[in-house]
Amino acid sequence: MTFLLPAADGVADEVARRLPRATIARYEDGGTDLGEVDFYCLPYMGNGASTAMIAKMPRLRVLQSLSSGVDNILGSVPEQVTLCNGSGLHHEESTAELAVSLILASLRQLPLFALDQKRHRWHHVRTDSLDAKKVLLVGHGGMGKAIEERLLPFGARISRASRTARDGVAPLSELRRLAAEADILVVCIALTPDTYGLIGEEVLGALPDGALVVNVARGPIVDAAALVSHLTTGRLRAALDVTDVEPLPADRPEWTLPGVLITPHIGGDTFAFARRAPGFVADQAERHTNGQPLANIVKPAGQRA
């Protein structure tokens, strides 16, 4: 049985330690006979090349992602392959921390003060607070709940919308109405055909002047052109950990528009994740070797993506 695994964070080494008789190939080394691969763990934050390799693995039976979201690879998973995600590796909690950090950094104008520090300039400015701010969470799964839990101690007032309406959580059809009352809109919903472009002109235009748009989910959920239009006039502000093209091209206006804070898709990539990943992949490898049920199955074998 051949396992193709990332060497990063010690994933391959931990599987080799736990399964000394298995054939372990390290993704970073290259040169692996892909026709022999039975279990493939994608490199974290991989690119199109790592996904394209799936089609060259006729014996592949398990595809393991280290990310919680698998929207970018789902269409590349063959019918006979079981796809598992990395839910439970602290992605949701770490991304929630970043969402709150981006909100606080924007409200307290930390980028301005960082620039003043670089210039050795002491310039006092009164800034805003999260206290009593109306925050609309677009998405209320694990990530949305984690963000809410971290916002409440600051005195934020939370409203929620999701694909599945329930008590206290409105349907997505209510987004425009809820946006009209929001000081901060946080995108924390999964990317699906139904959520592609969900935050478009109708929702963005409904937001009050000065509202902050935070995206820690997936870039294409927000209509970039519509957002840029509102950012250019200064009517809205934004804090973006994800964009509709990644890396964000150097000539995109978001880089230099006022009131915009950008981080390079770092939401779930923390040392907390790195500590958990090797043991989790080794557990999955052992389960597969022993014929035991896998954890975090997103698409079972025999089911079309």
Side-chain angles (χ1 to χ4, degrees):
M1 192 171 291
T2 299
F3 295 81
L4 179 58
L5 310 166
D9 299 318
V11 171
D13 288 347
E14 178 62 16
V15 176
R17 186 186 70 80
R18 298 259 291 268
L19 298 174
R21 296 183 180 180
T23 300
I24 307 297
R26 288 162 173 78
Y27 175 86
E28 291 85 348
D29 292 346
T32 302
D33 182 357
L34 299 181
E36 296 299 314
V37 174
D38 184 81
F39 183 112
Y40 176 29
C41 179
L42 289 155
Y44 186 55
M45 301 297 290
N47 52 27
S50 62
T51 302
M53 290 169 58
I54 298 169
K56 302 176 182 178
M57 301 178 183
R59 293 182 55 179
L60 185 66
R61 291 297 176 266
V62 177
L63 180 63
Q64 177 67 58
S65 172
L66 292 173
S67 298
S68 294
V70 293
D71 52 89
N72 59 323
I73 60 173
L74 197 55
S76 301
V77 184
E79 186 174 349
Q80 78 277 6
V81 173
T82 297
L83 171 65
C84 304
N85 70 10
S87 179
L89 297 181
H90 213 264
H91 293 299
E92 290 83 0
E93 296 87 347
S94 294
T95 302
E97 288 178 3
L98 180 66
V100 176
S101 298
L102 290 172
I103 292 170
L104 290 171
S106 297
L107 291 177
R108 301 310 302 265
Q109 298 192 38
L110 296 190
L112 170 66
F113 297 124
L115 184 60
D116 282 345
Q117 179 182 348
K118 184 177 181 180
R119 295 171 175 172
H120 298 190
R121 180 173 182 257
W122 183 282
H123 179 60
H124 183 93
V125 175
R126 177 172 289 168
T127 61
D128 213 337
S129 168
L130 248 175
D131 184 53
K133 284 288 184 293
K134 299 176 183 177
V135 181
L136 170 57
L137 299 176
V138 182
H140 205 250
M143 188 188 303
K145 291 173 183 175
I147 293 172
E148 177 172 350
E149 180 182 345
R150 286 156 176 79
L151 285 175
L152 287 175
F154 289 93
R157 298 161 59 187
I158 309 294
S159 59
R160 314 157 197 84
S162 188
R163 288 175 296 171
T164 304
R166 49 199 183 275
D167 188 31
V169 182
L172 295 180
S173 58
E174 296 284 319
L175 268 183
R176 188 177 185 280
R177 177 185 65 81
L178 294 170
E181 302 172 355
D183 301 303
I184 301 167
L185 182 150
V186 182
V187 183
C188 46
I189 196 170
L191 177 62
T192 68
D194 292 336
T195 62
Y196 193 98
L198 176 68
I199 309 302
E201 177 57 38
E202 182 178 0
V203 175
L204 295 171
L207 287 167
D209 290 352
L212 174 67
V213 177
V214 180
N215 191 358
V216 291
R218 288 291 187 268
I221 298 172
V222 177
D223 183 328
L227 179 61
V228 165
S229 177
H230 287 279
L231 295 173
T232 300
T233 64
R235 201 186 76 77
L236 297 179
R237 297 171 293 154
L240 310 172
D241 184 50
V242 292
T243 55
D244 62 345
V245 177
E246 294 182 8
L248 186 67
D251 60 353
R252 284 278 291 268
E254 290 95 324
W255 287 114
T256 56
L257 286 170
V260 179
L261 176 58
I262 296 173
T263 52
H265 201 152
I266 62 169
D269 193 6
T270 63
F271 292 114
F273 153 75
R275 287 192 297 269
R276 290 169 169 82
F280 172 73
V281 176
D283 287 345
Q284 291 286 78
E286 284 189 335
R287 291 186 185 106
H288 178 58
T289 300
N290 298 328
Q292 297 172 331
L294 296 165
N296 292 5
I297 293 177
V298 177
K299 185 201 80 69
Q303 177 179 305
R304 292 185 181 275

